Amino acid sequence: MEVNDFWKKKIHFYFTEILDFDNDGRVSSKDVAGFKEMYKYMKKLKQDSPELDRFSKFLNVWINNILAITNKKTGGHETSITPEDFRKYCEKIRVELVGRKTWPSSLSYMSDYIEALFSILDTDNDRSISKKDFLSNSANAEDHKSREVSWALITDKDDNKKIDIRFFNELCIEFLVSTNPKDRGNWIFGTFRY
Ligand SMILES: [Ca+2]
Ligand SMILES: [Ca+2]
């Protein structure tokens, strides 16, 4: 199963709109610093909080893993990731994920990264993502609307549904694999602007 234009657009969107926090066209530890600040603010944490420390560690491990893979190919010592590097990385791990619902051991570091994402979405820290959590990350009215549509798609219009960490992992894997816009994992980041 090859990737298609929908998949490429989705991965590009994820890179530019979500990962590249400071909008400089690359993903690096500078973006992790931005996410850390946002997380600290959202969860009302102190600068020296162990939770905050764990959160940024997860993100850095993940970025370093992508760099290790992309640098291996170029033989270089790049410290930031381009959209093309990222797409190639996603294509590579996608091969290992097709048909799976859990991370293979070769990608075990992804669980920690997914845990960090889950923590961002779980705004009230009760270890599940409710519709309220999902909508509360909206940036503006338009974003709020697309999140409502995304939620309906993911949960089959069940407003009382809760997304636990196991289901969230499945949806994230589907996000990385799916070439079909109808698959619900495509909407886990709450947008239709692919
Ligand atoms: Ca950046
Ligand atoms: Ca929650």
Side-chain angles (χ1 to χ4, degrees), residues 4-88:
N4 58 8
D5 281 348
F6 168 74
W7 187 89
K8 286 181 190 164
K9 253 159 84 183
K10 168 176 66 175
I11 297 301
H12 189 77
F13 176 90
Y14 184 71
F15 184 92
T16 55
E17 302 293 321
I18 298 178
L19 293 180
D20 183 14
F21 196 85
D22 62 3
N23 289 316
D24 69 349
R26 289 175 163 252
V27 169
S28 66
S29 53
K30 279 197 298 178
D31 297 305
V32 174
F35 280 120
K36 191 176 168 182
E37 277 309 303
M38 180 189 77
Y39 190 71
K40 190 180 129 190
Y41 172 77
M42 277 172 57
K43 304 276 180 182
K44 301 180 179 70
L45 296 171
K46 292 205 175 90
Q47 187 62 35
D48 60 357
S49 135
E51 190 187 338
L52 188 62
D53 192 47
R54 210 166 49 237
F55 175 79
S56 53
K57 224 155 93 190
F58 287 167
L59 295 182
N60 274 317
V61 166
W62 182 67
I63 284 186
N64 287 331
N65 270 292
I66 301 179
L67 283 170
I69 289 167
T70 50
N71 277 332
K72 234 183 261 166
K73 279 196 184 144
T74 59
H77 302 281
E78 289 290 330
T79 54
S80 62
I81 300 158
T82 65
E84 203 196 348
D85 290 336
F86 186 67
R87 183 177 46 77
K88 285 183 184 160

Side-chain angles (χ1 to χ4, degrees), residues 118 121-130 132-134 162-163:
F118 184 80
L121 289 171
D122 177 21
T123 48
D124 63 1
N125 299 320
D126 72 347
R127 299 295 301 161
S128 69
I129 301 166
S130 63
K132 193 173 167 223
D133 291 331
F134 196 73
K162 302 266 171 99
I163 300 174

